[in-house]
Amino acid sequence: NEGLREALANQKRRQKRGKPLPLEQPEEYHGGAVFWSPRKVQEARERLEQKEREGEQLQQQRSEAAKVRRAQQQCKARLIQERRVARAEARVAKAKEKANQAAKRAQKKRSQKAEKLLQNRIKLAKKDAKQGSKHPRKAIKKKKQVAEAVGNGIVVVSGYPVLMSSTNVETDTTDVIICGCGPTGALLSANLSRLKVNHVILEREAEITTDPRGIAVDEDGIRIMQGVGLYEELFRDVGKSMGVFRFIEGGRGLNVAPFLQFDYSTIEGGTGHVGFLCHKQPAMERHLRAKIDQTYGQLRSSSSVVAISEDKGNVYVDYEEGSGKLRRIRGKYLVGADGKTGFIRKKYLEPRGIIMEKSAKFRYEAVWVALNWHITLPTPESHPDFPLWRLGYTPEEVYDLYFPRDFNFICDPTRPSVCGRFGRTVDRLWRFEFVVKPGEDGQKMATPEETQKIIFPYLTHPGRRYVLTENVAFPADCIKCIRSRPFSFSARSCNNWSLGRVILCGDAAHVFPPFGGQGITSGFRDAISLSWRLKIAVRSDSADYQALFAGWAAERKQQLERSLASTIENGNFCNEPSRIKAFIRNWYLWVYQLIPSWKHSLELGGRREGMTRYDY
Ligand SMILES: Cc1cc2nc3c(=O)[nH]c(=O)nc-3n(C[C@H](O)[C@H](O)[C@H](O)COP(=O)(O)OP(=O)(O)OC[C@H]3O[C@@H](n4cnc5c(N)ncnc54)[C@H](O)[C@@H]3O)c2cc1C
């Protein structure tokens, strides 16, 4: 027992002794006798500590590597999830689009059917009238048929046939009817609200169109929106200053020095606002609609205008609700703000001689593809191999490099294009528009295969710029295409902007190519100067409304010339097809801009000549 106890005590003591010191030199040490002097012991301790430190470092490295792996996995999972969500959203959007198309087709069919029915009834009525004089007996029979037709929903007001019987149809009354609640209709409504004019807006779509078409509104547009109480909202929710318009040569990337630039980031020479607001059209329309005062204005969505008629003191508008129900509204005036292919001009005024005419000054007509992209910022976690992280760039700096803040007009004789951000910076939206050349198919050019060929060279930077051997492309998986489709652009305006009690404004009366950002603002100008005239016209039945509207159109046409001039100026720089002429022009501008005051005057852009002065 005694022996056993001693053995156990010895073993315990041995265990307490701790780790053996590595007093032996490493293997490569072959130097003679070994002295375990205090220094050696100290060195041995240091070696032990060193080893432990290395162990810890290794452990740390491993855990960091595991962290990075985990982050990568999470990021990958997030990307997969995002893609899944995007696919699901795309599916829903497609289904919605399909349903919309089907509804539109059904509606078109119904309108065609109704129109056919109407034509038949008119023919029948005419025949009846003719035969009535020749064969009185037959006439009685036919008359019966016409009476039936009237019972079926056809009525003639002042000789003009409309679709519905006033007995069966719900009819209400207002002072002004507006067809279309795009930017023009919404701004007109907001102004009529301020002037306390009763009105109803009929809008075909159930919701605001989500496709951002216009992206630039000039300072006059900002001023007009401020007039209906929108300002802070514009720079908070809708967009930001568009900055500088840069005219650059093609094929050399987006960061090359411009041969000419218009500085619209200042208020110099203008109305006190920055030159242009770079906006998201649906957000702007939402805010405009919020300024419609329900006391005076009522917006009826999902209401498609299908027929119009007038008598001495009124205009009657028949419209179809989303449910398919037909209704009628009577007003003193009808404003067609229903866009460039709208019903009011096409179906009602064109047969009466009002047509869209091409501008004699700017015979521009072309198809452009317009793309909207949403950009996600790449990060070191999501794209660890992206070379610019090694050089210390942050995700935000990378975004600025590839999608510059200012707006670029790419004056490439082979493929004129424009591009820039739109909406708020946080929206990360980007527009690229390029011309479709003769012989090319617009639809095909809007496909991802074709657009990538045209746009990606601008999103690939030469490696030498960063002292790298390989070119650096912006990660393609950070780009989501929201819309890509061809549009026809031309400069046209109507020969008359009103007839009787029916008036056209906005795109329904005039259209512009996209180079001057004048489409929306021109509609705003129409609306603001029409609103007070409508107020006068509805106040008194004796008002000479035809003279009022003729004066309005004459006033508007003066300004339209200015809008067209600035559009032409930008367009001509962008669309010069001759390389030689472009080369000479660029050199001329370079020399011209050596004189600072001349350069400054050029940089004022459209503000060079001050604001529009009206002769009448
Ligand atoms: C690709 C592209 C880029 C553009 N870029 C710019 C730009 O940068 N700056 C700029 O200022 N402009 C730009 N524009 C033009 C701009 O979008 C238009 O000028 C503007 O939308 C016109 O507004 P509007 O209200 O007159 O017509 P629209 O916006 O066309 O609105 C018409 C409304 O009427 C409704 N409607 C149509 N028919 C009926 C009916 N029968 N019954 C009831 N409602 C009906 C429609 O649903 C629609 O809501 C661009 C256009 C395109 C296509």
Side-chain angles (χ1 to χ4, degrees), residues 112-179:
Q112 279 170 348
K113 214 170 147 189
E115 201 163 310
K116 212 170 160 191
L117 184 72
L118 182 64
Q119 294 306 330
N120 286 344
R121 300 293 188 237
I122 296 166
K123 261 191 219 156
L124 208 62
K126 277 185 186 163
K127 216 168 159 190
D128 178 34
K130 255 191 208 166
Q131 284 181 349
S133 56
K134 287 181 200 161
H135 314 286
R137 264 184 212 165
K138 269 187 187 171
I140 292 165
K141 208 174 159 194
K142 292 279 176 185
K143 212 163 197 169
K144 250 186 190 169
Q145 280 181 12
V146 173
E148 273 167 32
V150 169
N152 280 345
I154 303 295
V155 72
V156 177
V157 181
S158 293
Y160 181 75
V162 290
L163 286 178
M164 301 165 294
S165 155
S166 51
T167 47
N168 297 341
V169 145
E170 280 179 41
T171 306
D172 54 347
T173 305
T174 188
D175 284 336
V176 177
I177 305 162
I178 304 172
C179 175

Side-chain angles (χ1 to χ4, degrees), residues 494-510:
C494 281
N495 52 350
N496 277 309
W497 291 17
S498 67
L499 186 74
R501 294 179 175 271
V502 183
I503 308 138
L504 292 174
C505 67
D507 269 21
H510 44 71

Side-chain angles (χ1 to χ4, degrees), residues 256-499:
V256 288
F259 61 83
L260 170 71
Q261 62 179 30
F262 298 156
D263 188 356
Y264 289 122
S265 65
T266 72
I267 59 167
E268 191 185 347
T271 55
H273 300 286
V274 289
F276 278 86
L277 173 77
C278 183
H279 66 94
K280 203 161 75 167
Q281 190 171 333
M284 191 180 76
E285 288 187 29
R286 201 178 58 245
H287 277 290
L288 282 172
R289 285 188 183 191
K291 293 293 171 191
I292 301 171
D293 183 343
Q294 305 290 319
T295 322
Y296 304 102
Q298 195 191 30
L299 170 60
R300 296 183 188 168
S301 299
S302 303
S303 300
S304 245
V305 172
V306 291
I308 303 158
S309 60
E310 283 178 80
D311 64 17
K312 200 161 169 279
N314 295 295
V315 52
Y316 302 84
V317 174
D318 297 341
Y319 64 96
E320 190 179 334
E321 291 181 333
S323 60
K325 189 177 173 192
L326 288 173
R327 292 185 63 171
R328 171 183 297 169
I329 184 162
R330 188 182 70 186
K332 289 182 180 157
Y333 300 97
L334 166 66
V335 181
D338 48 351
K340 73 173 177 180
T341 54
F343 181 92
I344 310 289
R345 194 191 74 246
K346 286 238 162 231
K347 299 282 175 183
Y348 186 69
L349 293 178
E350 273 186 8
R352 289 163 178 75
I354 293 196
I355 48 160
M356 274 264 199
E357 291 170 330
K358 283 182 195 164
S359 160
K361 289 190 179 162
F362 192 41
R363 299 202 163 273
Y364 186 80
E365 210 151 339
V367 176
W368 283 59
V369 167
L371 293 111
N372 291 330
W373 279 357
H374 177 257
I375 313 294
T376 314
L377 289 194
T379 63
E381 287 76 35
S382 66
H383 295 79
D385 299 331
F386 187 64
L388 296 193
W389 309 138
R390 290 202 304 271
L391 304 178
Y393 284 89
T394 63
E396 203 66 50
E397 285 167 345
V398 167
Y399 179 63
D400 287 346
L401 275 177
Y402 285 88
F403 303 96
R405 286 164 195 273
D406 295 319
F407 204 80
N408 277 310
F409 288 76
I410 306 170
C411 308
D412 181 353
T414 59
R415 176 87 68 193
S417 315
V418 294
C419 66
R421 299 178 187 181
F422 67 99
R424 301 166 306 167
T425 305
V426 289
D427 293 330
R428 304 212 186 283
L429 294 168
W430 203 59
R431 164 70 56 87
F432 197 102
E433 293 176 17
F434 62 84
V435 79
V436 175
K437 293 195 260 189
E440 287 177 341
D441 173 22
Q443 294 295 346
K444 185 165 176 259
M445 293 310 289
T447 58
E449 296 75 40
E450 297 299 326
T451 54
Q452 274 174 20
K453 276 189 230 160
I454 292 165
I455 304 173
F456 268 75
Y458 289 103
L459 300 181
T460 306
H461 293 174
R464 65 174 181 281
R465 182 168 166 186
Y466 307 102
V467 204
L468 294 171
T469 47
E470 307 248 311
N471 290 346
V472 188
F474 186 80
D477 60 344
C478 289
I479 297 169
K480 183 180 159 197
C481 183
I482 306 172
R483 177 259 277 155
S484 171
R485 55 173 275 223
F487 291 91
S488 298
F489 290 130
S490 59
R492 285 182 294 151
S493 104
C494 281
N495 52 350
N496 277 309
W497 291 17
S498 67
L499 186 74

